Amino acid sequence: GACRSALVVSPLRVARMTWPNEIAKWDDFKWMKVEHLRKSPPSGTAQIYTINYERLDQLQDLEFCEVVIFDEITRAKNHKSKRIKAIKPLLQHHRRWGLTGTPRPNSMMELFGQVRLLDDGHRLSPSFTRFRDSYFYPTDYMRYNWVPQAGAEDRVYAKISDMTITLRSSDYLDIKDTIVEDIDVALPDSVKADYRELEKEFLISVPSGGEVVARNAAVLVGKLLQICGGTVYTDAGEVEELHDAKIEALRKLINKVGESVIVACQYIHERERICREIPDCVDASKFKGDIETEWNSGRIKTLVADPRSLGHGLNLQGGGRTIVWFSPTWSRELYDQFNARIIRKGQGLQPMIYRILCPSTIDDAVIESLREKGEGQQAMLRIMSNYKAIKL
C-alpha cells in the first residue's frame, strides 16, 4: 500500500519480455498487472507499467504512478540526452530508483547523469561543468581529455554513499567463480601482411579487386577488428572474406564444449557468416518471439548476438553457462552486461567465458582497455561496499 503503481524504464527487450516474465514467475508478484506503454496511454489499472528509453519523450505526465525505476540506468549516463531531459520535468514527488550492474563502465564522469536523474543534482551538482571542474582536470590544452583529481573518487563516492546500495552476487548468491579463457588464433601470413599494410597505410587492395580504406583512426580500428574476425567491408560496402581462422576456432570450441553457447560479435557480416558456418545457429536479431524462453528451454543450441541488443536485462542462465567472444568490444559496460546474462542467480554450473583473439593485433589493445576500465569499475563497487559497512 506504499504506492499505487510504478513505471519501469528499461531497454526495449527488457521492458517487453524480462519484467513481465519475472513478475509472472514469482508467487509474491504474479498477481500484478503489467502494461507496456507503446502506442496507448496508461490505463490506470496496472501496478507495473513498462516503457523503453526511446519512448520517454512521448510521455505527457507521470500522474499514473508514484515510483519510477530506471532499469539499466547507465542508459541515462549522457547528461545531454533529449529523452532524459524530456522526463526530468515530469518527476515531481516520485520516488526514483536506478538499477545497474555497471554504474561507471568507462569513466567516473558517467556517474553524473545517472545521479542527477535520481537526486536533481543535490549531491554532485546540477551542472556538469561544475561537477567536472570539481573532480577532474584536463590533460591537454584544448581541454578535450580529463582525468580524476587526486582523491576525487573517494569524494564522489562519499557524496553518493547515502543513496547507494551495492549488492554483489558473490556476496549473496551461491554462484561459482567464472572462468575466463583466451584462445589465441594466428592470422594467416598473407592476411597478416594486409593487416600490417592497412595499419600503416590506411588502405589495402583485397582479392576481389576492391579496396579497404580507413579514412581516419576510428575507422581504421574498426577495419582492423574486422580483419581479425576474417571478414571486412570494402570501400564499396561489399563483404570480403579474408580467412576462416576464428571461424574454425569457434567450430572446434563448440564441439569441445558440447553444450549450448552464446556467441558475441560486433558486425552483421560476422553474425551472418557464423550462422552460415555453424549448424543450428540462431541469429538473435532475426529471431521472432520470446528468445529468453526458447533459450532457457534448451531449444537453441548456438545463439549469436550483438552485445548492444542482447547485453541488458535478459535472464539466460537456464539455457547454458558458456559465452564466446568472437570479436571483442571496447565497452566495459557491454562486456560485463553481456556476460551477466549467464552469470546470475539460478546458474547452477560454473560460468565459462571464452575470448577468441588474434595475438599482436588490435584484439590485444581491446582486451587491455577492458582490463583497465574493469579495475575502475571494481574499485567503485568495492569502495561503495566499504561505505555501506562503515554506516552500519
Side-chain angles (χ1 to χ4, degrees):
C3 76
R4 176 172 41 114
S5 62
L7 172 68
V8 178
V9 184
S10 66
L12 178 59
R13 195 188 297 269
V14 179
R16 292 180 59 187
M17 292 195 299
T18 304
W19 275 85
N21 286 348
E22 288 299 311
I23 289 170
K25 183 188 299 184
W26 300 92
D27 289 340
D28 288 347
F29 307 112
K30 63 184 181 182
W31 61 271
M32 292 182 177
K33 178 182 177 182
V34 185
E35 188 174 312
H36 180 46
L37 303 180
R38 296 192 64 188
K39 298 179 181 179
S40 57
S43 65
T45 61
Q47 286 75 43
I48 303 291
Y49 297 91
T50 67
I51 191 171
N52 52 299
Y53 281 93
E54 291 76 13
R55 290 184 175 270
L56 282 180
D57 54 359
Q58 299 180 14
L59 289 175
Q60 301 299 315
D61 63 68
L62 294 177
E63 297 297 326
F64 60 91
C65 66
E66 291 80 34
V67 177
V68 180
I69 302 169
F70 295 95
D71 194 357
E72 307 298 352
I73 196 175
T74 46
R75 292 292 183 96
K77 65 187 180 184
N78 180 8
H79 65 281
K80 297 181 180 179
S81 168
K82 293 182 179 179
R83 298 185 180 101
I84 299 303
K85 288 182 177 179
I87 195 174
K88 279 186 64 180
L90 306 181
L91 295 166
Q92 300 298 326
H93 303 292
H94 294 83
R95 300 180 186 179
R96 308 172 208 175
W97 299 353
L99 312 177
T100 179
T102 51
R104 47 154 295 176
N106 301 302
S107 165
M108 194 171 68
M109 280 192 182
E110 294 172 338
L111 286 174
F112 172 79
Q114 302 171 63
V115 173
R116 187 178 66 172
L117 182 59
L118 299 178
D119 74 347
D120 294 323
H122 291 303
R123 289 167 179 80
L124 298 182
S125 172
S127 164
F128 175 75
T129 300
R130 193 178 306 158
F131 163 74
R132 184 189 61 188
D133 292 344
S134 298
Y135 299 101
F136 301 82
Y137 67 90
T139 59
D140 61 305
Y141 175 74
M142 298 300 293
R143 297 168 66 88
Y144 288 137
N145 300 303
W146 294 73
V147 297
Q149 299 173 9
E153 291 195 357
D154 287 344
R155 290 190 289 131
V156 168
Y157 300 155
K159 287 276 190 181
I160 65 174
S161 62
D162 67 313
M163 62 177 290
T164 307
I165 299 175
T166 301
L167 303 175
R168 292 171 176 269
S169 59
S170 58
D171 294 336
Y172 295 91
L173 304 178
D174 185 18
I175 298 176
K176 297 181 179 179
D177 292 340
T178 302
I179 294 178
V180 179
E181 181 178 333
D182 291 341
I183 300 174
D184 288 344
V185 176
L187 288 176
D189 291 341
S190 60
V191 177
K192 188 183 297 183
D194 287 338
Y195 179 96
R196 299 304 177 198
E197 182 179 353
L198 179 62
E199 195 175 36
K200 180 179 179 181
E201 303 295 339
F202 281 50
L203 182 147
I204 58 170
S205 298
V206 291
S208 66
E211 292 182 334
V212 176
V213 181
R215 306 192 188 285
N216 54 54
V219 175
L220 175 65
V221 167
K223 297 296 184 185
L224 294 177
L225 281 171
Q226 291 175 44
I227 291 177
C228 288
T231 314
V232 65
Y233 287 119
T234 67
D235 200 43
E238 301 294 329
V239 176
E240 183 79 17
E241 293 187 7
L242 301 176
H243 67 87
D244 58 2
K246 281 197 175 184
I247 286 287
E248 287 303 315
L250 176 62
R251 195 193 316 276
K252 291 179 181 178
L253 178 61
I254 290 175
N255 290 335
K256 173 187 172 184
V257 169
E259 302 173 355
S260 299
V261 302
I262 305 175
V263 183
C265 52
Q266 312 304 315
Y267 302 100
I268 295 174
H269 57 64
E270 290 180 341
R271 296 202 306 272
E272 292 176 343
R273 191 181 187 197
I274 291 171
C275 287
R276 188 172 69 246
E277 297 288 341
I278 304 299
D280 301 321
C281 183
V282 172
D283 186 341
S285 66
K286 299 179 180 179
F287 186 85
K288 305 297 182 183
D290 188 341
I291 197 168
E292 181 179 284
T293 299
E294 289 296 302
W295 166 262
N296 286 327
S297 67
R299 288 190 284 270
I300 299 177
K301 297 303 180 183
T302 304
L303 179 65
V304 60
D306 185 327
R308 290 168 292 188
S309 64
L310 204 72
H312 293 84
L314 293 182
N315 297 310
L316 303 178
Q317 69 274 25
R321 60 164 175 169
T322 304
I323 285 178
V324 181
W325 286 88
F326 184 86
S327 51
T329 175
W330 290 99
S331 171
R332 184 73 206 200
E333 177 188 7
L334 287 179
Y335 180 76
D336 287 342
Q337 291 282 11
F338 196 84
N339 291 340
R341 296 315 97 213
I342 64 166
I343 308 172
R344 58 200 309 111
K345 183 177 181 180
Q347 178 57 264
L349 302 173
Q350 189 161 42
M352 302 291 297
I353 307 296
Y354 294 95
R355 305 185 298 194
I356 303 177
L357 307 172
C358 294
S360 302
T361 69
I362 193 69
D363 281 356
D364 287 341
V366 177
I367 294 302
E368 176 61 15
S369 175
L370 289 175
R371 185 193 66 79
E372 291 183 356
K373 292 172 182 175
E375 288 176 352
Q377 174 82 16
Q378 293 306 312
M380 178 196 174
L381 294 176
R382 184 176 62 254
I383 292 171
M384 292 309 303
S385 293
N386 290 342
Y387 273 122
K388 180 183 177 185
I390 291 171
K391 286 176 64 181
L392 295 176

Short mmCIF file of all heavy atoms in Angstrom, two decimals, residues 63-106:
data_model
loop_
_atom_site.label_atom_id
_atom_site.label_comp_id
_atom_site.label_asym_id
_atom_site.label_seq_id
_atom_site.Cartn_x
_atom_site.Cartn_y
_atom_site.Cartn_z
N GLU A 63 1.35 11.15 -13.73
CA GLU A 63 0.33 11.14 -12.69
C GLU A 63 -0.16 9.74 -12.37
O GLU A 63 -0.78 9.52 -11.33
CB GLU A 63 -0.86 12.01 -13.12
CG GLU A 63 -0.51 13.48 -13.33
CD GLU A 63 -0.04 14.15 -12.04
OE1 GLU A 63 -0.55 13.78 -10.96
OE2 GLU A 63 0.86 14.99 -12.11
N PHE A 64 0.10 8.78 -13.26
CA PHE A 64 -0.41 7.42 -13.08
C PHE A 64 0.47 6.57 -12.16
O PHE A 64 0.14 5.42 -11.88
CB PHE A 64 -0.54 6.73 -14.44
CG PHE A 64 0.76 6.64 -15.19
CD1 PHE A 64 1.59 5.52 -15.06
CD2 PHE A 64 1.16 7.67 -16.04
CE1 PHE A 64 2.78 5.43 -15.75
CE2 PHE A 64 2.36 7.59 -16.73
CZ PHE A 64 3.18 6.47 -16.59
N CYS A 65 1.60 7.11 -11.68
CA CYS A 65 2.48 6.30 -10.84
C CYS A 65 3.14 7.17 -9.77
O CYS A 65 3.16 8.40 -9.86
CB CYS A 65 3.56 5.62 -11.68
SG CYS A 65 4.74 6.76 -12.44
N GLU A 66 3.66 6.50 -8.73
CA GLU A 66 4.35 7.20 -7.66
C GLU A 66 5.84 6.87 -7.62
O GLU A 66 6.61 7.55 -6.98
CB GLU A 66 3.75 6.83 -6.29
CG GLU A 66 2.34 7.35 -6.07
CD GLU A 66 1.30 6.48 -6.76
OE1 GLU A 66 1.50 5.26 -6.83
OE2 GLU A 66 0.31 7.04 -7.24
N VAL A 67 6.23 5.78 -8.29
CA VAL A 67 7.62 5.33 -8.30
C VAL A 67 8.08 5.18 -9.74
O VAL A 67 7.34 4.67 -10.58
CB VAL A 67 7.78 3.98 -7.57
CG1 VAL A 67 9.22 3.47 -7.64
CG2 VAL A 67 7.33 4.09 -6.12
N VAL A 68 9.30 5.64 -10.01
CA VAL A 68 9.91 5.46 -11.33
C VAL A 68 11.22 4.70 -11.15
O VAL A 68 12.10 5.13 -10.40
CB VAL A 68 10.17 6.79 -12.05
CG1 VAL A 68 10.80 6.54 -13.42
CG2 VAL A 68 8.86 7.57 -12.21
N ILE A 69 11.32 3.56 -11.82
CA ILE A 69 12.51 2.71 -11.73
C ILE A 69 13.26 2.78 -13.06
O ILE A 69 12.72 2.39 -14.10
CB ILE A 69 12.12 1.25 -11.42
CG1 ILE A 69 11.32 1.18 -10.12
CG2 ILE A 69 13.35 0.36 -11.36
CD1 ILE A 69 10.67 -0.16 -9.88
N PHE A 70 14.49 3.26 -13.02
CA PHE A 70 15.33 3.30 -14.21
C PHE A 70 16.21 2.05 -14.22
O PHE A 70 17.24 1.99 -13.55
CB PHE A 70 16.18 4.57 -14.23
CG PHE A 70 15.39 5.83 -14.34
CD1 PHE A 70 15.02 6.54 -13.20
CD2 PHE A 70 14.97 6.30 -15.57
CE1 PHE A 70 14.28 7.71 -13.29
CE2 PHE A 70 14.21 7.47 -15.67
CZ PHE A 70 13.87 8.18 -14.53
N ASP A 71 15.74 1.03 -14.97
CA ASP A 71 16.49 -0.21 -15.08
C ASP A 71 17.58 -0.01 -16.12
O ASP A 71 17.32 0.56 -17.19
CB ASP A 71 15.55 -1.34 -15.49
CG ASP A 71 16.17 -2.71 -15.30
OD1 ASP A 71 17.34 -2.77 -14.89
OD2 ASP A 71 15.48 -3.71 -15.56
N GLU A 72 18.80 -0.51 -15.84
CA GLU A 72 19.97 -0.23 -16.68
C GLU A 72 20.14 1.30 -16.80
O GLU A 72 20.14 1.86 -17.90
CB GLU A 72 19.84 -0.88 -18.05
CG GLU A 72 19.54 -2.35 -18.03
CD GLU A 72 20.62 -3.18 -17.35
OE1 GLU A 72 21.69 -2.64 -17.03
OE2 GLU A 72 20.38 -4.38 -17.13
N ILE A 73 20.28 1.94 -15.66
CA ILE A 73 20.30 3.41 -15.63
C ILE A 73 21.52 4.00 -16.34
O ILE A 73 21.58 5.20 -16.60
CB ILE A 73 20.23 3.93 -14.18
CG1 ILE A 73 19.86 5.43 -14.15
CG2 ILE A 73 21.51 3.62 -13.43
CD1 ILE A 73 19.65 5.98 -12.77
N THR A 74 22.49 3.15 -16.68
CA THR A 74 23.62 3.68 -17.47
C THR A 74 23.15 4.18 -18.83
O THR A 74 23.88 4.90 -19.51
CB THR A 74 24.71 2.61 -17.66
OG1 THR A 74 24.11 1.37 -18.05
CG2 THR A 74 25.49 2.41 -16.38
N ARG A 75 21.94 3.81 -19.25
CA ARG A 75 21.38 4.39 -20.47
C ARG A 75 21.15 5.90 -20.31
O ARG A 75 20.93 6.60 -21.29
CB ARG A 75 20.05 3.70 -20.82
CG ARG A 75 20.18 2.24 -21.25
CD ARG A 75 20.87 2.12 -22.59
NE ARG A 75 20.95 0.76 -23.06
CZ ARG A 75 20.10 0.19 -23.90
NH1 ARG A 75 19.07 0.87 -24.38
NH2 ARG A 75 20.27 -1.07 -24.29
N ALA A 76 21.20 6.37 -19.06
CA ALA A 76 21.00 7.79 -18.79
C ALA A 76 22.32 8.50 -18.48
O ALA A 76 22.32 9.61 -17.95
CB ALA A 76 20.03 7.98 -17.63
N LYS A 77 23.44 7.87 -18.80
CA LYS A 77 24.73 8.45 -18.45
C LYS A 77 25.07 9.68 -19.29
O LYS A 77 25.89 10.50 -18.88
CB LYS A 77 25.84 7.41 -18.59
CG LYS A 77 26.07 6.92 -20.02
CD LYS A 77 27.05 5.77 -20.04
CE LYS A 77 27.28 5.28 -21.47
NZ LYS A 77 28.17 4.09 -21.51
N ASN A 78 24.43 9.84 -20.44
CA ASN A 78 24.64 11.03 -21.27
C ASN A 78 23.79 12.17 -20.74
O ASN A 78 22.58 12.18 -20.90
CB ASN A 78 24.30 10.73 -22.72
CG ASN A 78 24.50 11.94 -23.64
OD1 ASN A 78 25.03 12.97 -23.22
ND2 ASN A 78 24.07 11.83 -24.87
N HIS A 79 24.43 13.13 -20.09
CA HIS A 79 23.66 14.22 -19.45
C HIS A 79 23.00 15.14 -20.46
O HIS A 79 22.17 15.97 -20.10
CB HIS A 79 24.58 15.03 -18.54
CG HIS A 79 25.68 15.76 -19.25
ND1 HIS A 79 26.83 15.14 -19.68
CD2 HIS A 79 25.80 17.06 -19.62
CE1 HIS A 79 27.62 16.02 -20.27
NE2 HIS A 79 27.01 17.18 -20.25
N LYS A 80 23.35 15.01 -21.75
CA LYS A 80 22.74 15.84 -22.79
C LYS A 80 21.58 15.15 -23.49
O LYS A 80 20.99 15.70 -24.41
CB LYS A 80 23.80 16.22 -23.83
CG LYS A 80 24.94 17.06 -23.28
CD LYS A 80 25.93 17.41 -24.38
CE LYS A 80 27.08 18.26 -23.86
NZ LYS A 80 28.07 18.57 -24.93
N SER A 81 21.23 13.94 -23.07
CA SER A 81 20.20 13.17 -23.74
C SER A 81 18.86 13.90 -23.78
O SER A 81 18.35 14.34 -22.75
CB SER A 81 20.03 11.82 -23.01
OG SER A 81 18.86 11.16 -23.46
N LYS A 82 18.27 14.01 -24.96
CA LYS A 82 16.98 14.68 -25.11
C LYS A 82 15.87 13.90 -24.41
O LYS A 82 14.94 14.49 -23.87
CB LYS A 82 16.67 14.86 -26.59
CG LYS A 82 17.60 15.83 -27.30
CD LYS A 82 17.20 16.00 -28.77
CE LYS A 82 18.12 16.99 -29.48
NZ LYS A 82 17.77 17.15 -30.91
N ARG A 83 15.96 12.57 -24.46
CA ARG A 83 14.90 11.76 -23.84
C ARG A 83 14.91 11.92 -22.32
O ARG A 83 13.87 11.97 -21.69
CB ARG A 83 15.08 10.30 -24.24
CG ARG A 83 14.96 10.07 -25.75
CD ARG A 83 15.03 8.59 -26.08
NE ARG A 83 14.92 8.39 -27.51
CZ ARG A 83 15.95 8.14 -28.31
NH1 ARG A 83 17.17 8.07 -27.80
NH2 ARG A 83 15.78 7.96 -29.61
N ILE A 84 16.12 11.97 -21.74
CA ILE A 84 16.21 12.15 -20.30
C ILE A 84 15.74 13.55 -19.92
O ILE A 84 15.04 13.74 -18.92
CB ILE A 84 17.65 11.91 -19.81
CG1 ILE A 84 18.07 10.47 -20.12
CG2 ILE A 84 17.76 12.19 -18.33
CD1 ILE A 84 17.16 9.42 -19.53
N LYS A 85 16.09 14.53 -20.73
CA LYS A 85 15.63 15.89 -20.47
C LYS A 85 14.11 15.98 -20.55
O LYS A 85 13.49 16.80 -19.87
CB LYS A 85 16.26 16.86 -21.46
CG LYS A 85 17.75 17.12 -21.22
CD LYS A 85 18.30 18.12 -22.22
CE LYS A 85 19.76 18.43 -21.94
NZ LYS A 85 20.33 19.40 -22.93
N ALA A 86 13.49 15.12 -21.37
CA ALA A 86 12.03 15.16 -21.53
C ALA A 86 11.32 14.65 -20.29
O ALA A 86 10.25 15.14 -19.93
CB ALA A 86 11.62 14.33 -22.75
N ILE A 87 11.90 13.67 -19.59
CA ILE A 87 11.21 13.11 -18.43
C ILE A 87 11.52 13.86 -17.15
O ILE A 87 10.75 13.82 -16.18
CB ILE A 87 11.55 11.60 -18.25
CG1 ILE A 87 10.54 10.95 -17.29
CG2 ILE A 87 12.98 11.41 -17.79
CD1 ILE A 87 10.71 9.45 -17.16
N LYS A 88 12.62 14.58 -17.11
CA LYS A 88 13.01 15.25 -15.86
C LYS A 88 11.94 16.20 -15.32
O LYS A 88 11.64 16.17 -14.11
CB LYS A 88 14.33 16.00 -16.06
CG LYS A 88 15.57 15.11 -15.96
CD LYS A 88 16.85 15.93 -16.02
CE LYS A 88 16.95 16.86 -14.83
NZ LYS A 88 18.18 17.67 -14.85
N PRO A 89 11.31 17.05 -16.15
CA PRO A 89 10.28 17.95 -15.60
C PRO A 89 9.05 17.20 -15.07
O PRO A 89 8.28 17.77 -14.27
CB PRO A 89 9.90 18.82 -16.81
CG PRO A 89 11.04 18.70 -17.76
CD PRO A 89 11.56 17.32 -17.57
N LEU A 90 8.85 15.95 -15.52
CA LEU A 90 7.68 15.18 -15.08
C LEU A 90 7.90 14.54 -13.72
O LEU A 90 6.95 14.09 -13.08
CB LEU A 90 7.36 14.09 -16.12
CG LEU A 90 7.18 14.55 -17.57
CD1 LEU A 90 6.84 13.37 -18.46
CD2 LEU A 90 6.11 15.63 -17.68
N LEU A 91 9.16 14.47 -13.29
CA LEU A 91 9.48 13.85 -12.00
C LEU A 91 9.29 14.89 -10.89
O LEU A 91 10.12 15.76 -10.69
CB LEU A 91 10.92 13.35 -12.01
CG LEU A 91 11.23 12.20 -12.99
CD1 LEU A 91 12.72 12.04 -13.16
CD2 LEU A 91 10.59 10.90 -12.51
N GLN A 92 8.20 14.78 -10.19
CA GLN A 92 7.90 15.75 -9.14
C GLN A 92 8.23 15.16 -7.76
O GLN A 92 9.32 15.30 -7.27
CB GLN A 92 6.42 16.16 -9.24
CG GLN A 92 6.05 16.79 -10.58
CD GLN A 92 6.81 18.08 -10.86
OE1 GLN A 92 7.11 18.84 -9.93
NE2 GLN A 92 7.13 18.33 -12.12
N HIS A 93 7.26 14.49 -7.18
CA HIS A 93 7.48 13.90 -5.86
C HIS A 93 7.64 12.38 -5.97
O HIS A 93 7.36 11.65 -5.01
CB HIS A 93 6.31 14.24 -4.93
CG HIS A 93 6.10 15.71 -4.79
ND1 HIS A 93 7.01 16.52 -4.14
CD2 HIS A 93 5.11 16.52 -5.23
CE1 HIS A 93 6.57 17.77 -4.18
NE2 HIS A 93 5.43 17.80 -4.83
N HIS A 94 8.06 11.93 -7.12
CA HIS A 94 8.20 10.50 -7.35
C HIS A 94 9.43 9.93 -6.65
O HIS A 94 10.49 10.56 -6.61
CB HIS A 94 8.31 10.21 -8.86
CG HIS A 94 7.09 10.55 -9.62
ND1 HIS A 94 6.81 11.83 -10.06
CD2 HIS A 94 6.04 9.78 -10.03
CE1 HIS A 94 5.65 11.83 -10.71
NE2 HIS A 94 5.17 10.60 -10.70
N ARG A 95 9.28 8.75 -6.09
CA ARG A 95 10.44 8.01 -5.64
C ARG A 95 11.17 7.50 -6.89
O ARG A 95 10.53 7.01 -7.81
CB ARG A 95 10.03 6.82 -4.77
CG ARG A 95 9.26 7.20 -3.51
CD ARG A 95 8.90 5.94 -2.73
NE ARG A 95 8.05 6.27 -1.59
CZ ARG A 95 7.57 5.36 -0.75
NH1 ARG A 95 7.87 4.08 -0.93
NH2 ARG A 95 6.81 5.72 0.27
N ARG A 96 12.48 7.58 -6.88
CA ARG A 96 13.24 7.18 -8.07
C ARG A 96 14.31 6.16 -7.68
O ARG A 96 15.05 6.37 -6.73
CB ARG A 96 13.91 8.40 -8.71
CG ARG A 96 12.95 9.54 -8.97
CD ARG A 96 13.67 10.78 -9.41
NE ARG A 96 12.95 11.98 -9.04
CZ ARG A 96 13.39 13.21 -9.22
NH1 ARG A 96 14.59 13.41 -9.77
NH2 ARG A 96 12.67 14.25 -8.84
N TRP A 97 14.36 5.09 -8.42
CA TRP A 97 15.37 4.06 -8.21
C TRP A 97 16.16 3.89 -9.50
O TRP A 97 15.59 3.98 -10.60
CB TRP A 97 14.72 2.71 -7.86
CG TRP A 97 13.89 2.70 -6.60
CD1 TRP A 97 13.78 3.70 -5.68
CD2 TRP A 97 13.06 1.63 -6.15
NE1 TRP A 97 12.92 3.32 -4.68
CE2 TRP A 97 12.47 2.05 -4.93
CE3 TRP A 97 12.75 0.37 -6.63
CZ2 TRP A 97 11.59 1.24 -4.21
CZ3 TRP A 97 11.89 -0.44 -5.92
CH2 TRP A 97 11.31 -0.01 -4.72
N GLY A 98 17.43 3.64 -9.38
CA GLY A 98 18.27 3.33 -10.54
C GLY A 98 18.92 1.97 -10.33
O GLY A 98 19.50 1.71 -9.28
N LEU A 99 18.83 1.10 -11.32
CA LEU A 99 19.39 -0.25 -11.22
C LEU A 99 20.46 -0.44 -12.30
O LEU A 99 20.23 -0.12 -13.47
CB LEU A 99 18.29 -1.30 -11.43
CG LEU A 99 17.00 -1.14 -10.64
CD1 LEU A 99 16.01 -2.23 -11.03
CD2 LEU A 99 17.27 -1.18 -9.15
N THR A 100 21.60 -0.95 -11.92
CA THR A 100 22.63 -1.28 -12.91
C THR A 100 23.70 -2.16 -12.28
O THR A 100 23.94 -2.08 -11.07
CB THR A 100 23.31 -0.01 -13.48
OG1 THR A 100 24.32 -0.41 -14.42
CG2 THR A 100 23.97 0.81 -12.38
N GLY A 101 24.31 -2.99 -13.08
CA GLY A 101 25.45 -3.77 -12.63
C GLY A 101 26.76 -3.12 -13.00
O GLY A 101 27.83 -3.57 -12.60
N THR A 102 26.69 -2.05 -13.79
CA THR A 102 27.91 -1.37 -14.27
C THR A 102 27.73 0.14 -14.16
O THR A 102 27.52 0.83 -15.16
CB THR A 102 28.19 -1.75 -15.73
OG1 THR A 102 26.99 -1.52 -16.51
CG2 THR A 102 28.59 -3.20 -15.86
N PRO A 103 27.79 0.71 -12.95
CA PRO A 103 27.49 2.13 -12.77
C PRO A 103 28.49 3.08 -13.43
O PRO A 103 28.13 4.19 -13.80
CB PRO A 103 27.51 2.31 -11.25
CG PRO A 103 28.30 1.16 -10.73
CD PRO A 103 28.04 0.03 -11.67
N ARG A 104 29.75 2.65 -13.58
CA ARG A 104 30.73 3.53 -14.23
C ARG A 104 31.61 2.67 -15.14
O ARG A 104 32.77 2.40 -14.86
CB ARG A 104 31.58 4.28 -13.22
CG ARG A 104 32.14 3.43 -12.09
CD ARG A 104 33.40 4.02 -11.52
NE ARG A 104 34.46 4.03 -12.51
CZ ARG A 104 35.66 4.56 -12.32
NH1 ARG A 104 35.94 5.15 -11.17
NH2 ARG A 104 36.59 4.53 -13.24
N PRO A 105 31.04 2.21 -16.27
CA PRO A 105 31.73 1.25 -17.11
C PRO A 105 33.00 1.77 -17.76
O PRO A 105 33.94 1.01 -17.96
CB PRO A 105 30.68 0.90 -18.17
CG PRO A 105 29.76 2.06 -18.19
CD PRO A 105 29.70 2.54 -16.78
N ASN A 106 33.04 3.04 -18.11
CA ASN A 106 34.19 3.56 -18.84
C ASN A 106 34.89 4.73 -18.15
O ASN A 106 36.09 4.91 -18.31
CB ASN A 106 33.76 4.00 -20.25
CG ASN A 106 33.15 2.86 -21.04
OD1 ASN A 106 33.77 1.84 -21.26
ND2 ASN A 106 31.91 3.03 -21.46
#
